[in-house]
Every structure is written in C-alpha cells, then in structure tokens.
Amino acid sequence: MKIVDAKVIVTSPGRNFVTLKITTDDGLTGVGDATLNGRELAVASYLTEHVCPLLIGRDASRIEDTWQFLYRGAYWRRGPVTMTAIAAVDVALWDIKGKSAGLPVYQLLGGRSRDRVMVYGHAQGSTIEETVADVGRFLARGYQAVRAQTAVPGVSGTYGISSEPDRYEPASAGLPEASLWSTQSYLNHVPDLFDAIRDTHGYDFQLLHDVHHRLSPIEAAGLGKAIEPYRLFCLEDPTPAEDQTAFRLIRQHTTTPIATGEVFNSIMDCQQLITERLIDYIRTTVVHAGGITHLRRILSLAELYGVRSGAHGATDLSPVCLAAAVHVDTAIPNFGIQEYMPHTDATNEVFPHGHRFHDGYLYPSEEPGLGVDIDEEAAATYPYQRAYLPVARLHDGSVHDW
Ligand code: KDG
Ligand code: MG
C-alpha cells in the first residue's frame, strides 16, 4: 500500500482550514487536519515543500515509522508548525489504516471504553445575567457540562464573547484586532458569575471556565481559592501554559481542578505538569500535538498519574480533527471531557462527516477510518482569507497575553 499522492487543501468556509489528503496506489484516501489558527500557510508550506515529497512511495501502513521519520528525521523538533504538519500525516494514515481494515479508528485503538463522549458547550453573555441565561439554554438541551464566559465591564474583547450563539470564533480577517485587558476588573467580576450560575442552576451539572492564560501565578492561585465553593469541573489555562513551575504555586493554594495544554505540541511540554501532578486535565489535541500517535503517548503518561483528557475543541480545529478526537475519546481509559463548539453549515458542507452530537454527547462515526472527508469542489469555492487572532493590550498600552 504505497502513497502515490499527498496534497494540501486550503479552504475558508467562514474561517481558514488546512487539510492534507493522502492517496494510496490501491485507491484509498485519508485526510488529516493541519490548521494552525492565524498561521495557516506556514503549515501548508511546511507540508507542501518539505513533507509531501517525502511521502510519495512510502508504505502507508507504517504509521509509527512515518511519525519517527518526520519527527527525528528532520533534526529540528517540536513547535506548533512542525507538530501540526506531522499530525496531519499521522491522522491521514490512521484514516487509511481504518479504511483498509474495514474498521472505524476507535476499533484500531482498542475498541470502546465508553458508549458516548461527554462534551462541554460554550455559554457566554455580555452581562452575568445573560451568561446565566445562556447556561440555562445549554442545560435545557441536555448538556451535562457547560463552560461559562462573561464580558468584563470596561474590558473590550474579553475572551469568549461573541454575537453568535454556541461558538466563539476569535480570528478575524485582515490585521489583528486590538483588545483591551484589565486583570483587576476581571478578578473583581468573575467570581460573581459562578455565584449567580450556581444560585440559579444548582450544582447538578459540570461548570467550567477558561482564563485563557491571562493571570500571574499568585493571581490564579487566589482566583482558584475564591471560587472553590462553586465546585468547578476545571479552571482552564489560569496562567501562560509554557511556564510550568507556575502551576506548582497554584497547586499549593487551591483545590480547584486545573486544565491546560491546548497550546502544547509535545509530550515534553506536558511531562512536568503530569508527573508532578500539577494539573487534572490535559488539553492537548490531535491536530496540534503530533496526531493520534503522539497524543496517545501523552494520554498514556497522563493515565499513570491520574490526569484525564480534556481536549481542546474550538471551531478552528476542523471537523477532521474533531472526528479523530472522538475516536480517541471513545477508546482511552482516562477520558475526562471533550470541548465541543459546533461548526457552521458551510464548514460542515466542506467536511461531510459521520460523527454526531446528541443530548450533550458526541458519538464516533461507525464508517471505516475516521468517517470524515473533504469535498474538494465545495472547498474550492471558499478561497483562503488572511486572518489573525486578536492581540491584547493593557490600559498603559503594553502587550498582555491574549
Ligand atoms: O485558536 C485559538 C482558539 O482555539 C482558542 O482561543 C480557543 O481557548 C480556546 C478554547 O478553550 O476553546
Ligand atoms: Mg482555552
């Protein structure tokens, strides 16, 4: 089963997606997501110029060997561009392996550990009252877990607030938007959100919140401690994730469970946090952490230390990534939760898929392989549009973590 074609497809059905499609000499095709929000063409070029030529003629069944070849063989390791490119190849090869075996990918990973995958939805509002009402809307639709984000008075562009329901799409066409941040206003405001949510909706569902890397360690420790009474499922990305020792300080002060890792791309980024038990949920994804092959290694390490998965699932991760994530989530023993924001109709038209959402849970496709494809004709009708994530600044004009 030799690879005869590998091509990169860039499409923008409302937002940019990069997809790798691999074809074998026996006519099988596999797809892998290669989308890196705001830096899409760097991965497209890495794949087209440096990876695709290496794939032609390779045995498509040698997934592990191809991973090692692309990772160790490049000499230059890790980093979001490299690891996203390797992930795309890896996922496309798992898709092909499933199709050639006539099995959905979760079967290749050991079969079902669970019947369905619990997701959390994204509730938001421009006031606490609006966010409380939005949480209620998710609960009424059967969600077991909801992440709540609210606008902070005096802060433009608070993370997670948009005019569209159910999803948050921060990238915008053109040059980066400026957003304003005030840690003081946020910390003064956000505990009242959890108080109002628990007061209105009670404790019989999982509540989550994303700080989006914006606090210092001691600020995060204080927030975690202050919100303990509201029993969050997890507080996500309290501090910039690459500063791993920050999590020691947070851990010393609070029992609020901590999730991080959506920006990680290697097991090395996760090692200290997992082995020192500094976090409870690891949010690495298929697309940004080296594909199914590498993510499985991270999750196996996590299993040993009682850390569960909490995979990133924002709308910039394409339906190809989501399909792969649901196969992984279905198979692993230490699944925690899966983030889920529904894609737009245009995106679903470009990426027809068999995974489905029902009553707060995702179900994997039963088709051989991943159960997702790219409609190349539809994709071609949505040309690439340069877009960036926003950049945050403080009141004094200096750059802060967005
Ligand atoms: O591209 C960046 C987004 O994926 C990120 O801002 C979303 O933090 C995020 C989340 O938890 O969904
Ligand atoms: Mg996040």
Side-chain angles (χ1 to χ4, degrees):
M1 196 168 52
K2 290 214 178 325
I3 297 173
V4 293
D5 190 39
K7 72 169 159 187
V8 177
I9 303 158
V10 181
T11 179
S12 193
R15 69 148 2 273
N16 293 317
F17 293 111
V18 180
T19 308
L20 177 70
K21 182 169 178 178
I22 292 179
T23 307
T24 66
D25 55 2
D26 43 10
L28 292 178
T29 59
V31 286
D33 184 17
T35 309
L36 186 62
N37 204 0
R39 296 292 186 270
E40 294 87 357
L41 297 188
V43 187
S45 156
Y46 188 107
L47 281 167
T48 307
E49 301 298 330
H50 305 293
V51 174
C52 292
L54 302 175
L55 297 177
I56 307 304
R58 287 187 72 82
D59 180 350
S61 69
R62 295 180 63 168
I63 299 178
E64 180 68 50
D65 182 64
T66 302
W67 196 97
Q68 299 292 338
F69 177 77
L70 294 176
Y71 182 82
R72 298 162 85 170
Y75 184 63
W76 309 108
R77 299 180 184 193
R78 305 165 61 180
V81 175
T82 298
M83 296 302 276
T84 301
I86 295 177
V89 176
D90 183 78
V91 170
L93 294 183
W94 278 100
D95 192 18
I96 288 171
K97 194 174 278 296
K99 286 176 182 172
S100 78
L103 292 170
V105 166
Y106 75 81
Q107 292 290 10
L108 305 181
L109 301 176
R112 285 184 181 280
S113 282
R114 59 194 45 76
D115 298 328
R116 46 191 173 267
V117 167
M118 181 172 77
V119 306
Y120 65 92
H122 169 69
Q124 54 175 323
S126 53
T127 60
I128 287 181
E129 293 69 33
E130 270 184 36
T131 308
V132 170
D134 206 27
V135 169
R137 230 167 37 82
F138 279 92
L139 298 178
R141 286 186 282 161
Y143 277 80
Q144 309 293 309
V146 187
R147 174 181 95 164
Q149 306 294 137
T150 196
V152 176
V155 172
S156 71
T158 315
Y159 169 78
I161 312 305
S162 84
S163 51
E164 270 192 283
D166 296 357
R167 66 174 75 92
Y168 173 59
E169 178 52 76
S172 58
L175 296 176
E177 277 178 8
S179 73
L180 186 67
W181 178 249
S182 161
T183 298
Q184 188 187 359
S185 307
Y186 170 76
L187 289 177
N188 286 342
H189 192 64
V190 81
D192 294 345
L193 171 69
F194 307 123
D195 191 52
I197 291 171
R198 287 307 195 194
D199 194 43
T200 307
H201 300 297
Y203 285 77
D204 205 13
F205 68 98
Q206 306 292 1
L207 179 60
L208 299 88
H209 178 72
D210 189 354
V211 182
H212 218 258
H213 311 276
R214 292 185 186 189
L215 300 179
S216 72
I218 199 70
E219 289 161 353
L223 176 64
K225 200 166 157 180
I227 63 176
E228 277 170 17
Y230 309 116
R231 283 179 255 148
L232 263 62
F233 184 84
C234 63
L235 186 66
E236 178 186 333
D237 289 336
T239 51
E242 71 272 25
D243 177 4
Q244 308 211 346
T245 55
F247 290 82
R248 284 198 195 127
L249 193 146
I250 298 170
R251 237 356 179 208
Q252 282 160 12
H253 291 280
T254 179
T255 55
T256 293
I258 304 295
T260 201
E262 69 183 41
V263 297
F264 291 169
N265 40 70
S266 157
I267 195 167
M268 302 302 172
D269 300 327
C270 313
Q271 185 179 15
Q272 184 179 14
L273 294 178
I274 290 173
T275 59
E276 287 191 32
R277 301 178 195 270
L278 300 180
I279 56 170
D280 302 279
Y281 298 93
I282 183 75
R283 287 181 46 73
T284 40
T285 57
V286 171
V287 57
H288 298 138
I292 292 174
T293 298
H294 194 63
L295 183 60
R296 275 219 298 179
R297 274 199 261 286
I298 295 172
L299 295 172
S300 295
L301 178 68
E303 184 195 351
L304 196 59
Y305 292 91
V307 174
R308 292 193 281 155
S309 72
H312 185 201
T315 44
D316 49 296
L317 283 58
S318 91
V320 176
C321 175
L322 186 61
V326 181
H327 285 291
V328 172
D329 294 339
T330 298
I332 56 170
N334 54 329
F335 170 76
I337 201 162
Q338 170 69 49
E339 180 179 12
Y340 174 61
M341 289 188 204
H343 288 105
T344 60
D345 291 345
T347 298
N348 290 332
E349 176 207 352
V350 171
F351 297 99
H353 57 262
H355 57 267
R356 65 191 175 88
F357 170 80
H358 179 67
D359 264 358
Y361 292 92
L362 277 166
Y363 296 80
S365 166
E366 293 298 333
E367 291 295 307
L370 293 173
V372 63
D373 208 346
I374 182 161
D375 178 334
E376 291 187 56
E377 269 181 35
T381 64
Y382 298 105
Y384 169 76
Q385 258 208 309
R386 177 174 294 117
Y388 289 96
L389 287 168
V391 173
R393 289 188 186 272
L394 302 178
H395 279 96
D396 70 0
S398 56
V399 172
H400 192 68
D401 299 286
W402 178 80

